């Protein structure tokens, strides 16, 4: 099993505390795997198997507990017959209407005698009554599909002997959704699985949850986003695109649908930040996809649009490493990513440009130029697939695959 070290390291300090551990992320991104990783960690620490209460609400067996009263009775009976602390793992909890009442009751009734872990596939999981009931008593972790190093670990665990370069070529089109990583599927079978996952996200997490009245508009909008990841656009520009397609869609509807897809973790919006003015800009976000394999399954072209896909891969890597990410704007140019996180004693900040290859002096100058405009002393990186790299004026030029595989503290 993949240990998902970044996430486990972030979660460990909160194990055996009264804080409810909430793991959110897109459907099939590996939240269930994280619950298994935590259970393995607890077993090593001496916790007995019978202390675990595990429920996956997507399994038919547990359909009878989708009523919150039935769920509460089931868990309370388990706790009553248990010796020692109860470790409760509730997977895809959003399937239970008013689940927050169960969570709050367990926390209030049993206090330090329970350790609760829940997962869900919607960002609104903590925006309603649950957030009110347990305000200040939970900690949230966003779980993303496998980053490249985890993809490599998974493929090697089933005997894949390809070198890192060949595995990266596969990762470019397959993405990091966990299940197919551990299968020796043919290419078409992988895409069929990813297409099914995408359709499930569309139907269960957006159309049904948000009661979408025009699912065809949603489908076309998300296809537009997938085709334009990493490019700046506005709701008004998308409205004009639909008008040219013979469809009348308001900017408000566009923004609502983008918000629903964001809440379902299908897409990731990035705000633009004026580095000199030290402020976020009010318009024209960029959007990325939560897994580039989903893009390949729906519209294809990952290898043709390699510059965009490399950006998407770098973004997911940065978020998995715990960075808050935005798009940078200097006086005259744009910086692909500003990545910032708070460490114990300092702020870790990076400015990053991503390119396929620096094939000419003109390309090299273009990629380094925006970083040269930034006056502060934070780390500046140009990430490319060049085999041979050369730094310039304090700006590091790093091979992208090596950067993805490097351990970062």
């Amino acid at each position: 099993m993949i240990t998902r070290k970044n996430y486990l390291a972030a979660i460990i300090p909160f194990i055996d505390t009264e804080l409810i551990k909430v793991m959110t992320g897109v459907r099939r991104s590996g939240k269930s795997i994280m619950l298994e990783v935590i259970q393995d960690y607890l077993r090593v620490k001496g916790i007995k198997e019978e202390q675990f209460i595990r429920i996956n609400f997507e399994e038919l067996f547990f359909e009878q507990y989708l009523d919150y009263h039935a769920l509460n009775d089931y868990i309370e009976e388990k706790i009553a017959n248990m010796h020692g602390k109860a470790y409760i793992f509730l997977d895809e909890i959003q399937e239970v209407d008013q689940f927050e009442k169960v969570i709050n009751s367990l926390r209030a009734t049993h206090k330090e005698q329970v350790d609760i872990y829940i997962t869900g596939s919607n960002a609104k999981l903590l925006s309603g009554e649950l957030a009110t009931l347990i305000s200040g008593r939970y900690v949230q972790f966003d779980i993303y599909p496998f980053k490249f190093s985890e993809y490599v670990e998974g493929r090697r665990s089933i005997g894949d002997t390809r070198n890192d370069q060949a595995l990266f070529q596969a990762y470019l089109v397959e993405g990091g959704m966990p299940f197919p990583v551990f299968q020796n599927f043919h290419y078409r079978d992988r895409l069929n699985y990813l297409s099914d996952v995408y359709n499930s996200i569309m139907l269960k997490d957006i159309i049904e949850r948000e009661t979408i009245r025009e699912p065809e508009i949603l489908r076309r909008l998300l296809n537009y986003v997938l085709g334009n990841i990493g490019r700046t656009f506005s709701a008004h520009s998308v409205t004009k695109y639909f008008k040219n397609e013979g469809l009348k869609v308001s900017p408000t509807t566009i923004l609502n649908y983008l918000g629903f897809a964001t809440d379902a973790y299908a897409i990731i919006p990035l705000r633009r930040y004026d580095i000199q003015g030290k402020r976020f800009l009010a318009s024209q976000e960029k959007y990325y996809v939560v897994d580039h394999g989903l893009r390949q399954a729906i519209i294809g072209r990952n290898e043709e649009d390699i510059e965009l896909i490399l950006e998407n891969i770098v973004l997911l890597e940065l978020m998995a490493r715990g960075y808050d990410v935005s798009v940078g704007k200097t006086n005259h140019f744009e910086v692909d990513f500003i990545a910032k996180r708070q460490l114990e004693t300092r702020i870790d900040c990076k400015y990053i440009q991503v390119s396929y290859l620096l094939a000419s002096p003109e390309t090299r100058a273009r990629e380094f130029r925006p970083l040269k405009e930034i006056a502060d002393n934070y780390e500046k990186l140009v990430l490319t697939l060049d085999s041979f790299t050369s730094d310039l004026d304090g700006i590091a030029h790093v091979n992208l695959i090596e950067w993805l595989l490097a351990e970062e503290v």
Side-chain angles (χ1 to χ4, degrees):
M1 183 189 297
I2 303 300
T3 55
R4 311 215 76 179
K5 299 174 185 175
N6 292 60
Y7 297 122
L8 183 59
I11 293 168
I12 284 175
F14 300 98
I15 290 177
D16 278 324
T17 71
E18 67 171 308
L19 294 176
I20 296 163
K21 276 64 71 176
V22 181
M23 280 156 273
T24 53
V26 72
R27 191 175 293 268
R28 301 285 178 264
S29 64
K31 300 185 297 295
S32 300
I33 289 176
M34 266 319 305
L35 294 184
E36 293 176 18
V37 168
I38 294 166
Q39 289 164 34
D40 282 348
Y41 175 84
L42 291 171
R43 290 185 188 99
V44 171
K45 291 295 183 181
I47 304 302
K48 295 180 174 59
E49 193 72 25
E50 54 266 27
Q51 291 177 256
F52 297 152
I53 300 173
R54 292 177 291 242
I55 302 175
N56 183 339
F57 292 102
E58 292 191 322
E59 294 180 13
L60 188 59
F61 177 82
F62 293 110
E63 186 176 20
Q64 59 192 308
Y65 303 117
L66 294 180
D67 174 80
Y68 75 92
H69 287 292
L71 174 61
N72 189 70
D73 291 345
Y74 173 78
I75 295 175
E76 287 288 0
E77 182 180 355
K78 289 278 188 181
I79 293 174
N81 295 320
M82 185 176 297
H83 298 289
K85 189 171 191 171
Y87 293 82
I88 303 170
F89 301 90
L90 306 176
D91 202 2
E92 297 296 353
I93 189 70
Q94 79 278 347
E95 300 295 332
V96 181
D97 188 37
Q98 300 188 69
F99 71 87
E100 61 275 0
K101 293 182 178 180
V102 179
I103 301 300
N104 189 54
S105 177
L106 291 170
R107 181 199 61 78
T109 303
H110 300 284
K111 296 182 173 60
E112 69 275 4
Q113 288 306 111
V114 295
D115 195 15
I116 303 173
Y117 302 79
I118 65 175
T119 79
S121 299
N122 195 281
K124 290 182 179 176
L125 190 72
L126 292 169
S127 64
E129 190 175 354
L130 179 62
T132 302
L133 290 172
I134 64 170
S135 177
R137 298 185 180 92
Y138 70 89
V139 58
Q140 182 175 349
F141 307 91
D142 290 334
I143 308 296
Y144 296 96
F146 286 167
K147 56 184 188 167
F148 179 56
S149 61
E150 293 171 326
Y151 175 88
V152 171
E153 186 180 350
R155 293 303 302 168
R156 296 265 163 79
S157 73
I158 62 168
D160 193 328
T161 59
R162 288 177 292 177
N163 63 26
D164 293 342
Q165 185 75 37
L167 286 172
F168 187 73
Q169 288 298 122
Y171 182 68
L172 274 172
V173 295
E174 295 173 11
M177 283 294 183
F179 179 73
V181 172
F182 298 102
Q183 313 301 319
N184 287 316
F185 286 158
H186 293 297
Y187 174 72
R188 179 48 53 188
D189 295 328
R190 292 181 185 278
L191 292 193
N192 285 341
Y193 171 81
L194 292 171
S195 180
D196 288 343
V197 170
Y198 181 82
N199 290 331
S200 180
I201 295 166
M202 287 273 288
L203 179 62
K204 293 185 178 181
D205 298 323
I206 306 178
I207 294 173
E208 290 182 356
R209 182 181 180 92
E210 307 295 348
T211 319
I212 299 294
R213 297 178 180 176
E214 300 175 289
E216 180 60 18
I217 297 295
L218 174 68
R219 185 189 68 81
R220 291 196 182 197
L221 173 61
L222 291 187
N223 280 1
Y224 181 89
V225 173
L226 292 178
N228 291 277
I229 59 171
R231 294 183 177 131
T232 302
F233 62 83
S234 66
H236 287 283
S237 66
V238 180
T239 299
K240 291 179 182 178
Y241 164 79
F242 277 122
K243 185 176 181 180
N244 292 335
E245 295 284 307
L247 295 169
K248 186 177 181 180
V249 186
S250 71
T252 299
T253 297
I254 296 297
L255 290 172
N256 285 340
Y257 283 10
L258 289 172
F260 297 153
T262 300
D263 286 341
Y265 293 97
I267 58 175
I268 302 168
L270 287 192
R271 299 172 68 190
R272 299 168 70 234
Y273 184 77
D274 182 347
I275 297 171
Q276 275 78 17
K278 299 187 183 302
R279 62 186 178 89
F280 282 102
L281 302 176
S283 62
Q284 294 194 311
E285 292 178 321
K286 286 188 175 185
Y287 287 86
Y288 294 84
V289 61
V290 73
D291 180 74
H292 50 282
L294 296 177
R295 181 188 192 268
Q296 179 72 11
I298 301 306
I299 68 169
R301 307 202 318 262
N302 276 14
E303 291 177 300
E304 293 90 332
D305 297 334
I306 189 168
E307 292 265 4
L308 303 181
I309 302 307
L310 294 181
E311 276 190 38
N312 209 103
I313 288 171
V314 169
L315 169 64
L316 295 174
E317 178 71 29
L318 289 168
M319 296 180 77
R321 292 183 182 185
Y323 288 95
D324 293 321
V325 187
S326 56
V327 176
K329 179 188 176 300
T330 66
N331 289 325
H332 305 102
F333 304 104
E334 192 164 85
V335 178
D336 288 333
F337 299 120
I338 305 172
K340 187 177 292 187
R341 63 180 177 176
Q342 179 67 56
L343 301 179
E344 286 188 15
T345 58
R346 63 184 177 89
I347 294 176
D348 177 15
C349 181
K350 294 174 171 55
Y351 301 104
I352 298 175
Q353 288 290 93
V354 184
S355 184
Y356 176 34
L357 296 170
L358 302 186
S360 67
E362 292 77 18
T363 304
R364 180 176 171 83
R366 185 188 71 226
E367 296 300 332
F368 277 83
R369 191 179 299 125
L371 299 179
K372 286 184 176 182
E373 284 208 352
I374 303 172
D376 64 47
N377 294 318
Y378 288 124
E379 185 177 8
K380 302 174 181 68
L381 297 171
V382 175
L383 301 174
T384 75
L385 291 178
D386 291 286
S387 299
F388 299 99
T389 60
S390 176
D391 300 349
L392 178 67
D393 295 336
I395 301 169
H397 178 199
V398 180
N399 176 268
L400 174 57
I401 296 175
E402 292 179 3
W403 179 80
L404 292 170
L405 293 175
E407 290 290 333
E408 181 175 271
V409 179

